[in-house]
Amino acid sequence: MSMFAAAIIGVVVTMAMALLRALMGPTIYDRILAVNTFGTVTVLAISIFGFLMGRPEFLDIALIYALINFAGTIAVLKFLRYGDLGRASAEPDEDI
Amino acid sequence: MEGILNIILLGGMAVTAIAIAKMRNLFVVTMLSGIYSLLSAGIFVLLDAVDVAFTEAAVGAGITTVLFLSTLILVGREAKPRQFRMQAILPFLLVLAVGAGLIFASLDPNMPRFGDPNSPANQRLAPEFLADSVPQVGNEAPTRVGIPNIVTTTLASYRGYDTLGEVVVIFTAGIAVLILLGAARRRREDEELEGPETGAKPEPPKEDSRMADASKEAPGS
């Protein structure tokens, strides 16, 4: 039990640091990375909290969180790269 | 432990909300609102409402981010700088007064404690729902609903028809929006193909030329 408590303290500290980076973060990529990290850490926090409360079925919820987090980040990066979300496969760029 | 986590998550939400109000870069605001939503999902998990937390993460951090981004494509990334106006003082003072009054009213010793099981609001239906959801101590017989989480019981069983109605409404609205947007986009593509040919424009592929022919056959569409 104390192991889970220590783990959740570490996760909360990581959350705070990711939040700070999202608030300060000089470039946009710092903030994107911070949000993505925050999502991952939320997944960890939910699963650890499930074990801490003796209800490991929270793990399923955490798994679905991980999938959603991925989709959001993809949308953000696509917006930055192409300035548009609608195109399924944009025309190939010259520099790739 | 739970109280400390609650305070940390709520504090993070407050910091994020103030930052969202202060920021002028709308892209950063979108990112921060995703974080805000994840923090509130964490609070819902602490409240043992995993279904609500899951919805919050899916809608708040997932779909809303995408919707905000597609709006940003149309309106640009920077908000206009807001200048201070003297007229804004009066509403601010009014809001402060009302908020202070509400906090003062909640300090009344006759008010039930937050989450008090003996408060009048928790006397009528809550014991029945609890008995139907959570197994009684010393009695391992399955309950009527059979879901160990009380929030899931209420949302998925007692409010099942309500949720079904919501889903139907949102699904209908989504289909209507898709039809409207899809029609507008098809018309725009047709007009682009019919427009005057410029040298720089690449030759349209085969399917597109067929679509253009079809639209030429039906003028006024």
Side-chain angles (χ1 to χ4, degrees):
Chain A
M1 189 57 91
S2 64
M3 184 180 72
F4 289 131
I8 209 160
I9 288 170
V11 161
V12 163
V13 170
T14 319
M15 263 184 172
M17 292 200 298
L19 189 59
L20 268 184
R21 181 48 67 197
L23 292 178
M24 302 179 345
T27 71
I28 271 172
Y29 298 101
D30 286 320
R31 300 181 202 266
I32 294 174
L33 201 56
V35 174
N36 196 16
T37 311
F38 204 87
T40 312
V41 170
T42 310
V43 170
L44 288 176
I46 290 169
S47 33
I48 293 173
F49 192 74
F51 282 107
L52 197 64
M53 294 289 131
R55 301 181 46 175
E57 59 260 36
F58 280 19
L59 211 54
D60 301 341
I61 311 281
L63 278 179
I64 303 173
Y65 265 51
L67 294 175
I68 292 166
N69 187 28
F70 175 71
T73 310
I74 292 286
V76 170
L77 291 176
K78 199 173 171 189
F79 169 75
L80 272 185
R81 186 74 179 84
Y82 299 112
D84 191 9
L85 297 174
R87 277 177 287 179
S89 60
E91 53 267 22
D93 290 282
E94 290 79 20
D95 53 340
I96 292 179
Chain B
M1 186 79 207
E2 216 174 314
I4 298 169
L5 278 179
N6 263 326
I7 290 171
I8 291 173
L9 287 178
L10 276 173
M13 281 173 84
V15 170
T16 317
I18 292 170
I20 287 175
K22 284 285 164 201
M23 290 273 179
R24 294 272 74 88
N25 186 336
L26 294 178
F27 186 79
V28 177
V29 167
T30 309
M31 299 285 91
L32 287 178
S33 67
I35 286 189
Y36 185 87
S37 166
L38 285 172
L39 278 169
S40 57
I43 290 206
F44 287 138
V45 170
L46 284 183
L47 292 173
D48 211 11
V50 273
D51 302 85
V52 187
F54 173 53
T55 314
E56 175 63 39
V59 173
I63 306 293
T64 312
T65 307
V66 175
L67 288 181
F68 279 170
L69 286 178
S70 25
T71 312
L72 285 192
I73 291 170
L74 299 175
V75 302
R77 281 192 203 170
E78 287 291 327
K80 280 184 192 149
R82 207 186 304 148
Q83 59 262 51
F84 180 78
R85 288 181 302 133
M86 276 313 280
Q87 294 99 307
I89 287 286
L90 187 64
F92 179 67
L93 290 180
L94 192 67
V95 166
L96 272 190
V98 172
L102 286 176
I103 290 174
F104 177 71
S106 74
L107 294 179
D108 191 308
N110 292 324
M111 287 280 283
R113 207 163 41 79
F114 175 69
D116 186 4
N118 295 319
S119 75
N122 287 337
Q123 283 305 306
R124 210 165 63 83
L125 282 173
E128 190 189 324
F129 284 163
L130 277 174
D132 282 348
S133 174
V134 183
Q136 305 292 313
V137 178
N139 175 13
E140 293 305 313
T143 54
R144 201 167 90 193
V145 180
I147 305 172
N149 188 317
I150 178 70
V151 180
T152 309
T153 308
T154 312
L155 273 181
S157 182
Y158 288 110
R159 287 191 53 209
Y161 285 116
D162 187 39
T163 308
L164 181 65
E166 284 171 10
V167 169
V168 168
V169 167
I170 291 174
F171 185 66
T172 317
I175 287 182
V177 168
L178 278 183
I179 289 172
L180 289 173
L181 291 182
R185 180 172 298 164
R186 272 198 303 278
R187 204 173 306 133
R188 202 169 58 230
E189 278 172 3
D190 288 353
E191 279 165 7
E192 274 171 14
L193 288 172
E194 278 177 4
E197 298 236 336
T198 59
K201 198 167 182 179
E203 190 90 7
K206 241 182 187 146
E207 304 90 23
D208 289 351
S209 62
R210 233 191 306 121
M211 268 174 63
D213 289 342
S215 65
K216 269 173 198 158
E217 281 167 13
S221 64

